[in-house]
Amino acid sequence: MNDVRHVLVLPDRDAAEEAAAELGERFGVAEEPQLVRDALAGEDDAEDAQWLVVVEDPTGRLPAAELDEFAARWDGWREES
């Protein structure tokens, strides 16, 4: 087991919610992704927050390149933790 966690960094809440909803359909993600607001350092305004979609991938079966393209649809990117 690889026990990988993918983090999709997206520009706003709407994009994060839409991406989270589509993850199950496109990639067969069984566990609902976690949405997390990530305020930029020193910023209190909600407009300056990025949203993270955290996807657990305990078997390491999700293709990183496809997740990169998926996140890019919303002007986002993928990080692995």
Side-chain angles (χ1 to χ4, degrees), residues 32-43:
E32 187 168 333
Q34 179 183 6
L35 298 179
V36 179
R37 180 181 178 270
D38 184 32
L40 300 176
E43 298 293 336

Side-chain angles (χ1 to χ4, degrees), residues 1-62:
M1 276 201 205
N2 294 338
D3 203 24
V4 174
R5 174 181 294 143
H6 301 280
V7 178
L8 306 182
V9 182
L10 301 171
D12 56 49
R13 183 178 187 152
D14 290 340
E17 288 175 345
E18 188 176 330
E22 286 189 30
L23 275 167
E25 295 172 18
R26 176 148 180 210
F27 296 101
V29 174
E31 185 176 324
E32 187 168 333
Q34 179 183 6
L35 298 179
V36 179
R37 180 181 178 270
D38 184 32
L40 300 176
E43 298 293 336
D44 293 328
D45 188 355
E47 295 297 318
D48 294 323
Q50 294 174 325
W51 282 79
L52 310 178
V53 178
V54 181
V55 183
E56 299 295 335
D57 186 16
T59 60
R61 70 171 188 79
L62 296 174

Side-chain angles (χ1 to χ4, degrees), residues 8-11 68-78:
L8 306 182
V9 182
L10 301 171
D68 289 339
E69 290 175 17
F70 183 78
R73 288 178 45 201
W74 291 276
D75 296 324
W77 64 91
R78 179 193 58 88

